Amino acid sequence: MITTLEWGERELEGLRYEGYAYLKEGRWGDAITLFKALVALAAESAEDWQALTALYLQKGEYALCLEASERALALSPQDEMTRLNRAKALLITGERAAGLALATDLLTAQSELILRSAEALLLGYSFS
Amino acid sequence: MDRISWVDASERWAQMQTLSDEQQRLVGPQFQQISKHAAVLNNRPQIPMMTQLMRLDGTHGTDLLTQLPGFQRTQQRGGYSAQEGAKLKGALSLLEGVVGSEHVVEALGLLIRKAEMREAVMVQMASLVAA
């Protein structure tokens, strides 16, 4: 499809820019539309799958969040934010063991924010 | 940009208030320039303008989203120009009948609408400034 359009990275970056602009405005649905187009045009872009994962989680569309996170992690397995988002979606949808395991892995996260969020998830879901 | 007095800038800012949020976002970069010039040249407080600009810049990012790679590098953009909108329409016509292009068609439609709205607002702003 990208060949049909004779598009390159410049055009994709333009779409991505608009996607993030909608995201900053809190227009999740419009942002999702842009990122869905991006992954249709360039399925190997981890960044776009990561954005979709976060946006679906934000919208409460957990099944889609889990699907997007699988694609994102296949391309970039160590991305901590996507792993955290996936852990949240798993826990919310009742996949307790898998969610807690993923959150436990994140206790070695480089990012302080991720680390603290993982600790909070573990605290919140360990007793439920 | 031409020099602009604080009074002129304030007047334009007041005129901006007649536009909807969506319309204001589309002309945001121009609006920002106007207020910055007014502040620098006139050394006057600009709190109402800055408050308005911060609102337009969007503050909806949560932790989930602000950590995304593109969140910080993306600045506010006024949307596609009329010329870019025409290019998008060209791209859209190329996708006619292409299997699996639905998501791309939807995104291009969104951006084309935004470009058209921006163009309309720019015309409206030009007439306000000229008045």
Side-chain angles (χ1 to χ4, degrees), chain B residues 5-39:
Chain B
S5 73
W6 174 254
V7 173
D8 284 346
S10 300
E11 201 169 300
R12 289 187 198 183
W13 181 77
Q15 287 165 343
M16 283 286 294
Q17 307 313 300
T18 64
L19 302 174
S20 69
D21 274 7
E22 175 75 10
Q23 290 172 322
Q24 287 186 29
R25 276 194 195 95
L26 292 171
V27 291
Q30 285 77 14
F31 180 38
Q32 200 155 3
Q33 248 189 331
I34 287 170
S35 66
K36 272 185 188 163
H37 274 252

Side-chain angles (χ1 to χ4, degrees), chain A residues 66-122:
Chain A
L66 289 171
E67 276 178 36
S69 70
E70 268 178 38
R71 300 295 299 266
L73 292 173
L75 294 163
S76 179
Q78 296 310 315
D79 183 62
E80 293 177 345
M81 180 51 71
T82 302
R83 289 163 73 204
L84 177 69
N85 287 338
R86 181 172 172 80
K88 287 181 181 176
L90 285 167
L91 290 167
I92 291 168
T93 53
E95 298 286 340
R96 194 165 174 276
L100 289 176
L102 197 46
T104 305
D105 284 347
L106 286 169
L107 293 178
T108 56
Q110 300 293 310
S111 155
E112 180 79 6
L113 174 71
I114 304 284
L115 173 61
R116 300 287 167 236
S117 302
E119 284 176 344
L121 272 185
L122 287 168

Side-chain angles (χ1 to χ4, degrees), chain A residues 1 4-7 10-11 13-18 20-28 30-31 33-34 36-38 40-41 47 50-51 54-55 57-58 81 84-85 88 111 113-114 117, chain B residues 22 25 56-80 84 87-88 91-92 94-95 98-101 103-104 106-108 110-111 114:
Chain A
M1 203 183 325
T4 308
L5 292 172
E6 295 181 356
W7 275 13
R10 187 171 164 272
E11 286 78 9
E13 193 57 21
L15 284 192
R16 204 166 280 129
Y17 204 94
E18 291 295 329
Y20 284 115
Y22 279 128
L23 185 152
K24 280 187 166 180
E25 290 175 20
R27 294 170 62 173
W28 320 130
D30 288 335
T33 299
L34 268 293
K36 273 162 70 177
L38 278 160
L41 288 164
E47 177 180 339
Q50 289 162 4
L55 282 161
L57 182 62
Q58 185 77 38
M81 180 51 71
L84 177 69
N85 287 338
K88 287 181 181 176
S111 155
L113 174 71
I114 304 284
S117 302
Chain B
E22 175 75 10
R25 276 194 195 95
L56 292 174
D57 273 345
T59 53
H60 298 279
T62 64
D63 282 352
L64 289 173
L65 302 168
T66 55
Q67 301 300 308
L68 288 170
F71 190 89
Q72 297 303 333
R73 77 164 184 264
T74 304
Q75 301 301 310
Q76 188 182 16
R77 183 184 195 274
Y80 284 91
E84 288 170 317
K87 279 188 190 167
L88 292 177
L92 195 59
L94 291 174
L95 289 178
V98 174
V99 177
S101 66
H103 294 319
V104 183
E106 193 183 347
L108 292 181
L110 186 69
L111 296 178
K114 191 174 174 182

